[in-house]
């Protein structure tokens, strides 16, 4: 059982969950934890060291020889790999193209899931990803799944000026064997296609209050 409150937000690529999770965390005074950034960081590590993402054995070896330090700065999760901050590289084309393959590797998921769970030992958190409600914190009663139509999601990613095959990532994420993207049975689903970030965050706050959570809404 987590020592602190956990709000789990899952959903497919470019559904708006990162922006919503960040806005919600600020509003509640919780720490925002971006688990996609962790999978992206490991992907960047493999790509930058020339390790093919399909070579599971070498990826695992790389992980065991790298010090992964997760922390918090300015209310948001941070990650360092052997003391290096990978943030500037995380939304590059190469990372976008390879992250879903890296995220299928059970040992990668095992290591990152343990680090994700550790956040709830220290902080109240809003954590977003693909498997937060289904696998990382299945016991939290506060689960949300944010969706948007494929057209809206492709448009959102393109408007950020980023090359990203959203549909291809969704397919790998939804069909992998370990912790696939699924809608947790008890998750509240929100279609964000026609909603603003604040609109979605507001719907979540309303739902949390309905569930009896006493929160300091800022
Ligand atoms: O921002 P976007 O929704 O495009 O992706 P992200 O949250 O940064 O996640 C990047 C990739 O990491 C996903 O496509 C998944 O392959 C993987 N991921 C995962 O497997 N499990 C998570 N909890 C978070 C991300």
């Amino acid at each position: 059982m987590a020592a602190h409150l956990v709000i789990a937000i899952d959903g497919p690529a470019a559904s708006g969950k990162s922006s919503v999770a960040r806005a919600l965390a600020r509003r509640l005074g919780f720490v925002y934890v971006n688990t996609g950034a962790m999978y992206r960081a490991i992907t960047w590590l493999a790509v930058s060291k020339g390790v093919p993402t399909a070579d599971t054995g070498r990826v695992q070896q790389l992980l065991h020889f790298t010090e992964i330090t997760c922390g918090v700065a300015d209310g948001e999760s941070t990650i360092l790999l052997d003391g290096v901050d990978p943030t500037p590289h995380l939304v590059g084309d190469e990372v976008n193209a390879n992250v879903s393959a890296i995220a299928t590797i059970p040992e990668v998921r095992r290591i990152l899931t343990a680090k994700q769970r550790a956040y709830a030992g220290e902080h109240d958190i809003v954590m977003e990803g693909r498997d937060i409600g289904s696998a990382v914190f299945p016991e939290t009663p506060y689960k949300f799944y944010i969706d948007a139509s494929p057209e809206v999601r492709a448009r959102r990613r393109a408007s950020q000026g980023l090359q990203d095959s959203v549909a291809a990532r969704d397919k790998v994420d939804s069909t992998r064997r370990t912790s696939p993207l699924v809608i947790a049975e008890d998750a509240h689903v929100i279609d964000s296609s026609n909603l603003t970030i604040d609109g979605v965050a507001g719907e979540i706050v309303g739902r949390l209050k309905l569930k009896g959570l006493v929160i300091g809404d800022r």
Side-chain angles (χ1 to χ4, degrees):
M1 196 61 182
H4 286 265
L5 294 172
V6 175
I7 299 172
I9 300 189
D10 291 299
S15 57
K17 61 191 181 323
S18 303
S19 313
V20 167
R22 179 179 278 119
L24 180 69
R26 290 225 176 105
R27 213 162 142 168
L28 303 179
F30 287 18
V31 167
Y32 161 57
V33 185
N34 177 350
T35 63
M38 299 182 190
Y39 289 94
R40 288 174 178 274
I42 302 304
T43 307
W44 171 74
L45 179 73
V47 167
S48 64
K49 302 259 184 211
V51 173
T53 54
D55 191 339
T56 308
R58 280 184 67 197
V59 173
Q60 279 178 208
Q61 208 180 18
L62 186 61
L63 275 184
H64 290 139
F65 287 103
T66 303
E67 193 184 357
I68 305 170
T69 315
C70 293
V72 174
D74 298 328
E76 302 197 358
S77 57
T78 57
I79 184 165
L80 297 178
L81 303 173
D82 283 338
V84 176
D85 181 0
T87 307
H89 311 286
L90 300 188
V91 292
D93 296 352
E94 243 186 330
V95 170
N96 279 337
N98 289 291
V99 63
S100 287
I102 287 284
T104 62
I105 303 174
E107 184 64 359
V108 172
R109 303 203 72 83
R110 190 186 66 74
I111 290 172
L112 294 186
T113 297
K115 294 195 176 287
Q116 290 157 13
R117 288 186 180 138
Y119 274 101
E122 305 278 328
H123 310 277
D124 290 333
I125 56 175
V126 177
M127 182 175 282
E128 56 112 347
R130 299 293 186 290
D131 60 340
I132 312 308
S134 58
V136 183
F137 289 107
E139 71 282 8
T140 183
Y142 312 116
K143 297 180 190 176
F144 297 87
Y145 185 95
I146 301 187
D147 213 343
S149 70
E151 297 73 30
V152 167
R153 295 192 289 114
R155 215 181 310 133
R156 282 180 184 161
R157 205 32 58 98
S159 73
Q160 294 171 314
L162 298 170
Q163 276 257 324
D164 188 4
S165 44
V166 163
R169 275 202 292 129
D170 284 350
K171 184 154 183 236
V172 179
D173 292 345
S174 308
T175 55
R176 69 176 172 233
R177 201 180 287 215
T178 310
S179 307
L181 170 67
V182 289
I183 303 177
E185 224 173 80
D186 49 342
H188 178 70
V189 180
I190 300 174
D191 184 339
S192 76
S193 302
N194 298 307
L195 291 173
T196 61
I197 292 163
D198 284 343
V200 180
E203 188 169 332
I204 293 177
V205 168
R207 185 85 191 170
L208 293 172
K209 286 181 177 161
L210 268 181
K211 281 182 159 272
L213 191 65
V214 180
I215 38 181
D217 190 1
R218 292 172 174 182

